């Protein structure tokens, strides 16, 4: 058998997202027909002890304790960034300048200025780039987009998004990097609203203006190393209203204080002809209401998005044999590798990450100014 060409991958960040991405890099070749073999060449983390153990466990061939060394390695073709947000920009820009393809976790950057810099770097280098907004690759949400494009909802009137977690409602939960605005850029907002802003752009269109509100409920928390208290400078919760460029209205809440909710992302989209409801905790399902259904049987129907004809499902199991959260990352890596192989652009790109960041920034500014803010027109354009 002829040996396939290889694509050598390096990953930075060896904890939560490092695990989710490693799982996907490990599995992707089994479910996608790729013209080359992805090779898990090297992992990197500033914590050498847990980073080395991570590399061994997940099958990375080598380990580096400095991202500068990793990115400079001539044997790597692709860099996967799974670090806290503050490191995204320097790693991505260096990787692009070194001629590597780049996939980066969300939010793309600390702010829109950095995100624009990153987009320009990958565009100028001519490398492929992707932001890891993995919910764009939930089959039910791809189906939702198809239905909206086909006109099944008619004109969209409302896009309602909530993203609830509750891990901070415990005041004893320790201080982590996500509480520091200088390390994270923002809190619940950049972490969770980033996903739902991206999904709105995926499903409904561009956001034109925003009016936001943000709050920190617990001002300081114990440092895990026992060195006193750490100040919480990143929002615990951010809500905002939006007006889309196409006239649709929207509302958002992201909070880490939704007692009892663990990772509850719910979208409700209401149009002139029908409606869709999605709940991440039941990600194989999509609720659909059509005004074309007549009479006493009219009502929301629950579509089980597990048929072979549904997006991505032909790669998986027979109907009804559900998939999970980790599969969205396999779709992400598989689609990215396919785009690299075919020399095609892929969405969500760094352009999409930068546009999302513009909305996030405007919401934060609006919350501080307590007023509506228009999203600035794009100073740089998409590759498309
Ligand atoms: N797509 C999603 O659903 C999703 C979910 C959670 C987090 N994220 C994003 O993923 C990114 C990482 O979050 P996480 O939850 O995995 O964080 P984490 O704290 O679990 O892991 C971050 C890792 O990066 C390492 N690190 C920090 N600075 C580094 C540096 N300079 N060089 C090398 N390694 C460094 C840390 O030691 C740690 O191992 C964030 O941008 C976050 O917003 C995305």
């Amino acid at each position: 058998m002829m040996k396939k060409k290889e694509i050598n991958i390096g990953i930075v960040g060896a904890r939560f997202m490092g695990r989710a991405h490693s799982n996907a890099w490990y599995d992707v070749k089994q479910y996608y027909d790729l013209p080359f073999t992805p090779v898990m060449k090297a992992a990197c983390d500033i914590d050498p002890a847990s980073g080395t153990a991570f590399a061994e466990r997940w099958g990375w061939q080598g380990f580096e304790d400095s991202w500068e060394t990793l990115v400079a390695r001539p044997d790597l073709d692709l860099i996967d960034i799974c670090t806290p947000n503050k490191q995204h920009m320097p790693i991505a820009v260096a990787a692009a300048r070194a001629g590597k393809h780049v996939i980066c976790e969300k939010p793309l950057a600390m702010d829109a200025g950095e995100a624009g810099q990153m987009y320009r770097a990958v565009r100028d280098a001519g490398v492929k780039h992707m932001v890891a907004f993995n919910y764009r690759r939930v089959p039910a949400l791809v189906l939702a987009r198809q239905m909206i494009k086909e006109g099944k909802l008619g004109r969209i009137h409302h896009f309602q998004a909530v993203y609830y977690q509750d891990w901070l409602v415990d005041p004893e939960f320790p201080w982590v990097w996500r509480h520091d605005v200088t390390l994270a850029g923002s809190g619940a907002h950049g972490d969770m609203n980033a996903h739902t802003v991206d999904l709105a752009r995926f499903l409904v269109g561009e956001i034109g203006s925003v009016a936001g509100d943000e709050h920190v409920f617990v001002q300081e928390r114990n440092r895990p190393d026992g060195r006193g208290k750490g100040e919480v400078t990143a929002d615990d919760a951010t809500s905002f209203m939006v007006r889309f460029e196409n006239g649709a209205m929207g509302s958002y809440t992201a909070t880490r204080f939704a007692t009892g909710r663990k990772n509850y992302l719910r979208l409700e989209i209401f149009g002139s002809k029908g409606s869709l409801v999605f709940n991440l905790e039941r990600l194989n399902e999509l609720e659909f209401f059509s005004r074309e259904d007549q009479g006493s049987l009219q009502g929301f129907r629950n579509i089980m998005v597990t048929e072979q004809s549904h997006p991505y499902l032909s790669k998986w199991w027979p109907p009804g044999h559900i998939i999970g959260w980790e599969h969205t990352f396999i779709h992400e890596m598989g689609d990215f590798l396919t785009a690299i192989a075919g020399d095609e652009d892929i969405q969500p790109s760094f352009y999409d990450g930068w546009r999302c960041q513009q909305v996030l920034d405007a919401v934060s500014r609006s919350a501080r100014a307590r007023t509506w803010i228009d999203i600035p027109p794009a100073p740089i354009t998409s590759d498309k």
Side-chain angles (χ1 to χ4, degrees), residues 6 39 85 101 129 187 206 208 222 233 253 276 300 318 327 334 338 346-347 349 366 371-372 381:
E6 294 178 341
V39 180
N85 308 339
H101 306 298
H129 44 100
E206 295 290 353
N222 292 325
T233 50
T253 290
L276 288 171
F300 272 95
H327 294 78
T338 304
I346 183 155
Q347 281 81 38
S349 66
S366 149
T371 186
W372 279 86
T381 53

Side-chain angles (χ1 to χ4, degrees), residues 145-155 273-274 292:
R145 179 176 152 100
Q146 284 173 7
M147 292 168 74
I148 291 169
K149 277 193 178 301
E150 285 163 7
K152 297 228 168 358
L153 266 62
R155 180 178 166 195
K273 289 170 66 182
E292 284 170 7

Side-chain angles (χ1 to χ4, degrees), residues 137-139 283-284 317 321-329 331:
R137 287 178 161 76
V138 173
L283 68 74
N284 292 272
W317 321 119
H321 294 70
I322 55 177
I323 63 166
W325 178 81
E326 73 275 22
H327 294 78
T328 63
F329 293 92
H331 300 161

